């Protein structure tokens, strides 16, 4: 049965009342957004002839998604974080602020207030003795290649099971999360462990929907970064390690060619010694180029709810 009711005065009137157009109070921006969202939902129901059964399944799906705390996990899987990045890239281009190391999505698993140190940090707590030691190092420069001292490089990544500390309560506090301030040559170095790729909780709401789309919920092995320094555009980015099954098939759409990095196995003992190591390790080099700006609003990360943000750090 295909009925068309969207054009009727009754539906138009209903939508206006839903969005509070006929009341004085409330917030104008919210009224405009809700009117548009509900219009488009109604239109979708009409166009795709959504049945009441399908509609109520969706409502209870959203309930469950929230109960599982997975809304911010589903968003990247549906390309929303990537779409926001596409818009930010286009805005940068329009403002002549493009260039530098490309941004990519933050993801939902950042925790504010990680320990901060100068030039070097050890990120892992040493409990995973089977893990491959990683030396993650690089230089932060401006877009002329000049080294930037005192930039804050905030790094977080998963363990060898693909799990993140804080969200995985079995890990120690701030395991695999550190802030490193670059030295006078703009350099930072972290000793850590090579992470594994991340997979959505297999029984969770996100994976349930991905299954219905015939999609997997996996990310390649990756390392997250916030890089900031006064006078420069804040950068939110990640690197994906080359050679992972999912390097170019990331369910969260965060891969960018410039951000795929080779992890290089180093067997040479003299190199190991430089880092105080006594065996082979894997070296990951990520150099970062920041773009200068005098706009304060571009120098900080976007506001969103983050674990422990706003608490004493
Ligand atoms: C998700 C997980 C991540 O580790 C990440 O970086 C991005 C997204 C997720 O579960 O949606
Ligand atoms: Fe991640």
């Amino acid at each position: 049965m295909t009925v068309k009711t969207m054009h009727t005065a009754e539906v138009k009137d209903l939508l206006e009342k839903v969005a509070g157009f006929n009341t004085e109070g409330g917030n104008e921006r919210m009224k405009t957004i809700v009117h548009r969202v509900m219009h488009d939902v109604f239109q979708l129901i009409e166009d795709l002839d959504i049945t009441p059964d399908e509609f109520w399944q969706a409502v209870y799906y959203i309930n469950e998604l929230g109960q599982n705390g997975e809304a911010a996990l589903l968003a990247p899987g549906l390309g929303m974080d990537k779409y926001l990045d596409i818009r930010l890239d286009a805005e940068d281009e329009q403002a002549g602020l493009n260039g530098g190391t490309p941004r990519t999505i933050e993801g939902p698993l950042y925790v504010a207030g990680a320990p901060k140190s100068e030039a070097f940090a050890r990120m892992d707590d040493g409990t995973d003795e089977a893990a491959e030691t990683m030396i993650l190092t690089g230089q932060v420069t401006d877009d002329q290649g000049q080294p930037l001292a005192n930039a804050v490089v905030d790094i977080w990544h998963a363990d060898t099971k693909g799990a993140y500390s804080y969200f995985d309560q079995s890990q120690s506090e701030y395991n695999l999360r550190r802030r490193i301030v670059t030295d006078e040559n703009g350099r930072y170095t972290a000793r850590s462990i090579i992470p594994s790729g991340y997979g959505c909780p297999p029984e969770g709401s996100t994976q349930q929907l991905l299954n219905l789309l015939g999609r997997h919920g996996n990310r390649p092995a990756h390392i997250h970064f916030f890089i900031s320094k006064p006078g420069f555009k804040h950068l939110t980015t990640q690197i994906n390690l080359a050679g992972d099954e999912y390097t170019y098939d990331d369910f969260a759409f965060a891969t960018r060619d410039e951000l795929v990095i080779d992890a290089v196995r180093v067997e040479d003992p003299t190199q190991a010694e430089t880092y105080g190591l006594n065996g082979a390790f894997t070296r990951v080099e990520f150099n970062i180029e920041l773009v200068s700006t005098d706009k304060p609003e571009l120098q900080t990360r976007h506001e969103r709810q983050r674990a422990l943000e706003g608490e004493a750090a």
Side-chain angles (χ1 to χ4, degrees):
M1 188 173 54
T2 315
V3 294
K4 300 288 179 198
T5 60
M6 279 302 286
H7 62 283
T8 63
E10 187 180 12
V11 172
K12 199 162 172 274
D13 182 57
L14 174 61
L15 278 167
E16 287 176 3
K17 287 187 178 136
V18 164
F21 281 7
N22 58 341
T23 67
E24 288 295 319
N27 174 288
E28 286 308 314
R29 173 81 173 155
M30 193 54 77
K31 289 184 189 206
T32 306
I33 294 170
V34 168
H35 184 260
R36 175 60 185 267
V37 168
M38 294 320 301
H39 171 276
D40 288 5
V41 170
F42 284 18
Q43 189 73 58
L44 149 79
I45 290 173
E46 175 169 287
D47 291 349
L48 300 186
D49 215 358
I50 299 295
T51 66
D53 293 16
E54 287 173 324
F55 175 77
W56 291 111
Q57 269 182 43
V59 169
Y60 287 101
Y61 176 79
I62 293 169
N63 252 356
E64 196 188 286
L65 182 73
Q67 273 161 16
N68 295 344
E70 283 198 41
L73 269 64
L74 178 63
L78 294 182
M80 292 196 251
D81 305 39
K82 175 67 184 176
Y83 181 59
L84 295 179
D85 277 354
I86 290 171
R87 285 180 50 81
L88 291 170
D89 284 354
E91 278 175 21
D92 279 352
E93 176 133 11
Q94 203 171 54
L97 284 171
N98 49 340
T101 301
R103 63 163 56 79
T104 195
I105 74 167
E106 174 178 331
L109 305 173
Y110 178 74
V111 177
K116 200 175 190 181
S117 56
E118 306 284 327
F120 174 86
R122 176 155 184 189
M123 297 181 68
D124 67 299
D125 62 10
T127 53
D128 191 345
E129 287 168 17
E132 171 74 3
T133 300
M134 170 172 76
I135 294 293
L136 170 63
T137 188
Q139 189 182 34
V140 182
T141 62
D142 68 10
D143 51 8
Q144 307 299 312
Q146 290 304 310
L148 296 177
N150 297 317
V152 178
V153 183
D154 194 339
I155 309 171
W156 70 105
H157 67 81
D159 68 3
T160 55
K161 299 188 193 72
Y164 286 82
S165 66
Y166 181 90
F167 302 96
D168 168 13
Q169 290 284 326
S170 77
Q171 293 184 47
S172 60
E173 196 181 33
Y174 288 115
N175 190 36
L176 313 178
R177 301 177 183 276
R178 287 294 183 277
R179 287 179 289 174
I180 306 176
V181 181
T182 55
D183 69 11
E184 68 276 13
N185 299 312
R187 297 204 59 92
Y188 71 94
T189 302
R191 171 181 169 178
S192 195
I193 55 173
I194 291 283
S196 290
Y198 163 96
C200 289
E203 306 305 325
S205 311
T206 303
Q207 192 56 55
Q208 188 192 335
L209 178 59
L210 292 171
N211 289 344
L212 290 169
L213 303 177
R215 292 179 49 199
H216 67 74
N218 297 310
R219 302 210 58 215
H222 63 278
I223 301 164
H224 296 266
F225 292 80
F226 284 147
I227 306 104
S228 58
K229 179 175 165 79
F232 293 86
K233 232 173 44 169
H234 168 87
L235 178 64
T236 297
T237 196
Q238 309 180 23
I239 55 176
N240 286 350
L241 301 185
D244 189 294
E245 178 184 358
Y246 298 106
T247 304
Y248 292 101
D249 185 23
D250 176 3
F251 101 98
F253 306 103
T255 308
R256 300 184 78 149
D257 285 342
E258 306 91 321
L259 302 173
V260 174
I261 305 281
D262 285 317
V264 184
R265 190 86 209 272
V266 181
E267 313 270 355
D268 174 9
T270 51
Q271 279 215 49
E273 260 173 50
T274 341
Y275 298 111
L277 304 171
N278 51 19
F281 65 98
T282 292
R283 190 173 192 278
V284 176
E285 183 171 354
F286 182 45
N287 298 313
I288 299 149
E289 194 181 297
L290 296 182
V291 175
S292 61
T293 179
D294 51 15
K295 295 204 177 80
E297 69 275 18
L298 296 181
Q299 297 181 22
T300 55
R301 57 193 183 221
H302 286 109
E303 275 187 43
R304 66 183 274 184
Q305 199 178 306
R306 295 183 177 93
L308 304 185
E309 192 158 60
E311 302 188 23

